[in-house]
Amino acid sequence: MTIQSIIKKAIKRLELEGKLLTPDFYAEAFCKEATKAGMNTEDCNHVNTIKKMMNKDFQKDLVNYRITTMQELSRFLVAKLNRTSPTQCGKLLESQTLLLKKVIQVLEVLHNKEAKDLAVKSLDLLNASPSSTQMDQFKQLWSNFITTYDDTFLNTLTAFGSIDKTNLKKSIENLKVPSESFLNIDTDLSKVSALLIASLVPSIASSVNEKIAGLSSKIRKNPELLDTKDIIAEVKAAISLRIALDKDSVKEMVQSIDGVLDKLSLRLIDMIEKSDNSTIEIQKIKVELESYNTEETNNFKTAHKKLYTIALALEQNTQLLSKDLKNHDGEVKRLANKIRNLEKELEAVKEESKEDFLTKLYNRRALDESLNIKEAEYKRYGHNFCILMFDLDHFKKVNDTYGHDAGDAVLAAFAKIIKQEARTVDVIGRFGGEEFLGVLSETNTKGGVVFAEKVRKHVLKARFMYKGSRIEVTVSIGIAERDKHVSLDAVLKSADEYLYQAKNEGRNQVAYKK
């Protein structure tokens, strides 16, 4: 690649990034394109040249601050020169960071869920050596929290005592909570008893139960009985009995209406089949509804009236209905056949699906197809690939301790991690149960180990939560490379053997041929 082409690409890069064509921006873009093209220029190596002349502490600082351009190096050196005591500044910065972590740890145990969740995320951020942009984002999150925080819910407690919003412990101690038993409150029991008796009056069921009637009479005569445990128990039993009676009554009424509807439905079907006499049949239905025993549906008079109205409407529209049904009979049959064919196609698509329903990764069938494609590419073009077998450690213990729903949540979360770390050209899928398989294109054992370690450390650092409980999760990984085996089956078998070696040697590790 020529210098002219690199210059053109550098200018194009500035246009895409929306930057002005200044000397500093141009130099940075030129060096990036030159490095990308594999061209080593002296102008792009000034930082590295100067870096070699510095002591080890300065070299380490350049790496930590990600100094890559001369402009960044200049600002860094000016800042260093302006410091009267670099050691003291470093200690002060470390002390401030520790103080910030301690403050966030305190917020984590306060009685506010939003503050606690934000504090946990902030601690994770500080432990991950964040950039200034990430720090600014979290600073904005804390600003949003304090701006929208609403403590007016505490005002609901003012009826029980004074509230000091600056001291919740003192506020709780000052609360004068009434006794657990509402009967100890100075209340007119005669009013309460009247309300209770009214609630026991039949609502749906028309019959009056003797037990409920006797209890109501007893409470009406002596409301003070409500202050006894025996009466409270009787009231609970009476309420349950009242509900049961209402349910039985509704069931009987529904059965009565069902009988009318069944008869109406049968008559309508018969009428449609005999369309010539449909008007006469509808009239019969109307007469039957008029003579229907109203005592059986005494509480459902409205429903009975609606059924009678339906019969009148059917009488007026019978001939048109019969004609439409005949005209559309063929179309209905065609639609039914089409639906059956669509259902068969849907079943076929489901069988051919390549996605695991839980993890949204490739399923076993899709993995087998991908492996066969990779094997064919290897035999024809010599494209090497690497196979990784992943297995979540002690996964049965997770299911036994937290339940299968928690286990499914862990599998889905792990799938997101492994998919996040993988490249777009890599094939990742669920091999079965808690076992996953990865196929890394154009990758040898060394590259596979790098990827496996990324996944293992990511899992170790991740917080697997289920219903407020954190679940400790680790993963064991076995690696095998195609170039070092005689067949695809041999690679799979080797990766599986190294997986079990990782488990036997203590789990939470990567095993491969050294």
Side-chain angles (χ1 to χ4, degrees):
M1 183 177 291
T2 64
I3 291 293
Q4 286 75 12
S5 61
I6 293 177
I7 292 173
K8 291 180 181 179
K9 288 191 174 183
I11 295 174
K12 186 68 174 178
R13 174 186 282 270
L14 291 178
E15 293 177 356
L16 294 175
E17 294 178 354
K19 295 180 179 179
L20 297 175
L21 185 59
T22 63
D24 290 336
F25 284 152
Y26 170 74
E28 181 181 352
F30 178 84
C31 290
K32 287 182 179 178
E33 290 297 333
T35 302
K36 185 177 178 181
M39 180 177 291
N40 189 11
T41 62
E42 184 178 351
D43 290 339
C44 296
N45 289 325
H46 287 324
V47 174
N48 289 333
T49 303
I50 296 174
K51 177 180 176 182
K52 293 177 182 179
M53 294 186 289
M54 294 180 174
N55 61 37
K56 292 184 178 180
D57 292 336
F58 275 96
Q59 291 182 14
K60 185 177 180 181
D61 287 343
L62 291 181
V63 174
N64 291 337
Y65 287 107
R66 301 181 178 90
I67 305 299
T68 58
T69 66
M70 287 298 296
Q71 186 179 8
E72 292 173 348
L73 179 61
S74 300
R75 288 199 297 266
F76 169 77
L77 292 175
V78 170
K80 281 289 185 180
L81 290 173
N82 286 335
R83 293 180 184 174
T84 57
S85 178
T87 303
Q88 183 179 358
C89 290
K91 290 182 178 178
L92 179 60
L93 180 61
E94 183 179 359
S95 299
Q96 290 174 343
T97 303
L98 291 175
L99 175 60
L100 178 59
K101 287 185 177 181
K102 184 56 65 177
V103 171
I104 294 176
Q105 287 173 349
V106 172
L107 287 174
E108 189 179 359
V109 301
L110 293 183
H111 309 291
N112 185 282
K113 184 179 184 302
E114 291 80 6
K116 178 181 178 180
D117 292 344
L118 192 53
V120 171
K121 293 179 180 178
S122 298
L123 279 176
D124 290 341
L125 178 73
L126 290 175
N127 291 329
S129 300
S131 64
S132 59
T133 302
Q134 292 174 313
M135 295 287 285
D136 289 340
Q137 289 174 349
F138 267 74
K139 183 176 70 175
Q140 185 60 46
L141 290 176
W142 279 109
S143 297
N144 294 344
F145 169 76
I146 197 63
T147 301
T148 59
Y149 180 69
D150 183 10
D151 60 358
T152 55
F153 64 91
L154 294 172
N155 295 335
T156 58
L157 300 175
T158 54
F160 303 105
S162 60
I163 300 299
D164 184 356
K165 293 185 179 181
T166 63
N167 191 335
L168 291 180
K169 181 179 179 182
K170 183 178 178 182
S171 297
I172 296 298
E173 292 174 349
N174 290 337
L175 291 180
K176 298 176 181 178
V177 183
S179 171
E180 293 182 0
S181 174
F182 73 90
L183 297 175
N184 291 330
I185 302 175
D186 185 15
T187 306
D188 186 355
L189 291 179
S190 61
K191 295 180 180 179
V192 176
S193 64
L195 181 62
L196 178 61
I197 292 169
S199 68
L200 296 176
V201 171
S203 55
I204 299 176
S206 58
S207 60
V208 179
N209 185 270
E210 292 184 2
K211 280 188 177 182
I212 298 177
L215 177 62
S216 300
S217 176
K218 191 187 302 183
I219 295 174
R220 187 181 294 107
K221 292 178 181 178
N222 188 6
E224 299 300 325
L225 289 174
L226 289 175
D227 200 14
T228 63
K229 292 183 178 180
D230 292 340
I231 289 297
I232 292 175
E234 286 189 44
V235 169
K236 290 181 179 179
I239 292 173
S240 299
L241 181 58
R242 176 76 276 155
I243 294 172
L245 291 172
D246 286 346
K247 286 183 177 179
D248 291 340
S249 181
V250 168
K251 185 177 179 181
E252 292 176 1
M253 294 175 187
V254 170
Q255 288 176 346
S256 176
I257 291 297
D258 283 345
V260 176
L261 293 174
D262 288 342
K263 291 180 180 179
L264 180 60
S265 177
L266 291 173
R267 285 295 183 88
L268 285 173
I269 294 172
D270 187 55
M271 174 205 71
I272 292 171
E273 291 176 350
K274 303 173 182 178
S275 58
D276 293 338
N277 299 321
S278 57
T279 303
I280 298 174
E281 292 298 323
I282 287 293
Q283 289 176 346
K284 289 182 181 180
I285 296 171
K286 183 176 66 175
V287 172
E288 182 178 339
L289 287 174
E290 287 177 325
S291 62
Y292 192 79
N293 186 358
T294 57
E295 292 182 359
E296 294 180 12
T297 58
N298 188 42
N299 292 294
F300 274 41
K301 290 182 179 179
T302 302
H304 183 275
K305 183 178 179 180
K306 288 182 178 179
L307 290 174
Y308 181 73
T309 303
I310 290 172
L312 287 175
L314 286 172
E315 181 180 3
Q316 297 172 3
N317 296 283
T318 299
Q319 293 180 354
L320 181 60
L321 173 64
S322 299
K323 183 178 178 181
D324 287 343
L325 288 174
K326 287 181 179 179
N327 292 337
H328 292 88
D329 182 65
E331 183 178 354
V332 170
K333 290 180 179 179
R334 287 193 298 273
L335 288 174
N337 290 331
K338 187 174 182 179
I339 290 173
R340 282 193 292 270
N341 292 333
L342 289 174
E343 288 176 344
K344 291 179 181 179
E345 292 176 6
L346 179 61
E347 289 298 324
V349 169
K350 287 182 178 179
E351 291 179 2
E352 295 176 1
S353 175
K354 295 183 178 181
E355 183 179 89
D356 178 65
F357 75 99
L358 176 62
T359 62
K360 307 305 178 184
L361 300 176
Y362 279 160
N363 58 20
R364 180 65 178 271
R365 177 173 181 170
L367 285 173
D368 289 340
E369 291 179 2
S370 298
L371 284 169
N372 290 332
I373 292 173
K374 292 296 180 184
E375 179 66 7
E377 291 177 352
Y378 175 81
K379 290 180 177 179
R380 183 165 185 175
Y381 305 109
H383 292 174
N384 190 24
F385 59 92
C386 192
I387 291 180
L388 289 79
M389 298 287 287
F390 304 81
D391 191 274
L392 297 180
D393 300 327
H394 302 297
F395 186 75
K396 184 178 183 299
K397 185 177 179 181
V398 174
N399 283 332
D400 294 342
T401 304
Y402 301 96
H404 288 279
D405 288 343
D408 289 347
V410 168
L411 290 174
F414 174 75
K416 290 181 180 179
I417 290 174
I418 196 172
K419 191 173 183 180
Q420 180 181 344
E421 295 293 347
R423 303 170 301 179
T424 55
V425 297
D426 297 332
V427 176
I428 306 296
R430 186 180 181 189
F431 200 65
E434 69 273 18
E435 198 167 309
F436 295 75
L437 185 141
V439 183
L440 310 186
S441 301
E442 300 292 344
T443 305
N444 56 17
T445 301
K446 184 178 179 181
V449 172
V450 172
F451 173 76
E453 283 294 340
K454 284 184 180 180
V455 174
R456 187 187 68 81
K457 291 176 181 178
H458 194 156
V459 171
L460 197 61
K461 184 179 177 181
R463 296 172 67 90
F464 292 83
M465 303 296 296
Y466 183 75
K467 292 184 177 180
S469 298
R470 182 174 181 178
I471 303 175
E472 297 293 336
V473 179
T474 59
V475 62
S476 298
I477 308 169
I479 303 175
E481 177 184 348
R482 178 64 182 91
D483 268 346
K484 297 180 180 180
H485 297 81
V486 297
S487 66
L488 176 61
D489 290 338
V491 184
L492 288 168
K493 183 178 179 181
S494 180
D496 192 58
E497 289 174 353
Y498 281 119
L499 170 63
Y500 280 96
Q501 178 182 325
K503 285 187 167 295
N504 292 333
E505 291 179 356
R507 293 183 171 85
N508 187 27
Q509 56 184 277
V510 180
Y512 56 95
K513 186 175 182 180
K514 302 296 193 289

